[in-house]
Amino acid sequence: MLRAVSHLPANHGQGKPVDSITLAHDERRLRRKLLRAKGGLEVMVDFPQTITLDHHGALLLDDNRLIEIVAASEDLFEIRGKNPAHLVRLAWHIGNRHTSAQLEDKRILIKRDHVLKTMLEGLGARVTNVTEPFFAEHGAYHSHGEPGHALLAR
């Protein structure tokens, strides 16, 4: 079995990958995991600490080959406010519910959740379905949006 010895950032310039692995947002944050590339290669990732794999970054394997990391498209809600101050208030409500979010100048992206959609629309947000890669912010200490934590927070 191949082992990943390091993670290279996007635009690493270290050569052409031999294969790719497509991972959702939650799957790109890892420390130790067995991954299967598109072409069937199995790669053991066992880093000393948890890292987030960059979209179009790469795993450097112990045989010096590269496996590209690709962010999977995910079903998300795009949230837009009436103005920048309204968007900030919407972001506060999303964060208050410990929900992972991708924060941009004119929109916020979250994973689809009908309860949050109802709340946000009640606060005057425009919420639409989109499907695209998700790049949520990671918390200062850990991600509250990880599976299992939401069950504890309820």
Side-chain angles (χ1 to χ4, degrees):
M1 175 182 312
L2 295 167
R3 292 195 169 275
V5 295
S6 67
H7 170 252
L8 303 175
N11 302 314
H12 52 78
Q14 299 294 311
K16 185 175 178 166
V18 296
D19 208 339
S20 66
I21 298 173
T22 301
L23 301 168
H25 172 261
D26 293 341
E27 297 170 324
R28 291 192 314 272
R29 184 144 177 89
L30 54 84
R31 190 193 76 73
R32 186 171 201 276
K33 189 170 187 173
L34 178 63
L35 301 173
R36 183 179 301 272
K38 186 177 180 181
L41 290 174
E42 286 190 336
V43 178
M44 174 52 78
V45 174
D46 189 6
F47 295 133
Q49 59 196 31
T50 301
I51 65 166
T52 300
L53 302 176
D54 289 349
H55 179 50
H56 295 305
L59 293 173
L60 174 63
L61 306 181
D62 53 4
D63 66 359
N64 289 319
R65 290 186 290 171
L66 299 174
I67 303 287
E68 181 181 27
I69 301 300
V70 177
S73 288
E74 301 186 53
D75 293 334
L76 307 170
F77 283 142
E78 177 184 83
I79 299 131
R80 294 191 180 263
K82 298 171 188 169
N83 54 48
H86 185 227
L87 192 63
V88 168
R89 283 192 298 278
L90 295 169
W92 184 89
H93 284 282
I94 291 166
N96 192 43
R97 279 141 188 92
H98 301 274
T99 300
S100 295
Q102 179 177 328
L103 307 171
E104 299 179 4
D105 288 346
K106 297 185 179 187
R107 70 179 188 162
I108 301 168
L109 296 174
I110 62 171
K111 289 189 176 186
R112 290 186 193 168
D113 178 313
H114 71 280
V115 172
L116 287 174
K117 180 181 182 191
T118 300
M119 177 201 71
L120 291 163
E121 288 173 335
L123 293 168
R126 285 177 292 146
V127 181
T128 56
N129 293 338
V130 296
T131 302
E132 60 186 79
F134 187 43
F135 304 100
E137 297 292 322
H138 290 289
Y141 302 105
H142 68 280
S143 174
H144 287 274
E146 293 172 359
H149 185 82
L151 296 175
L152 297 173
R154 290 183 185 175

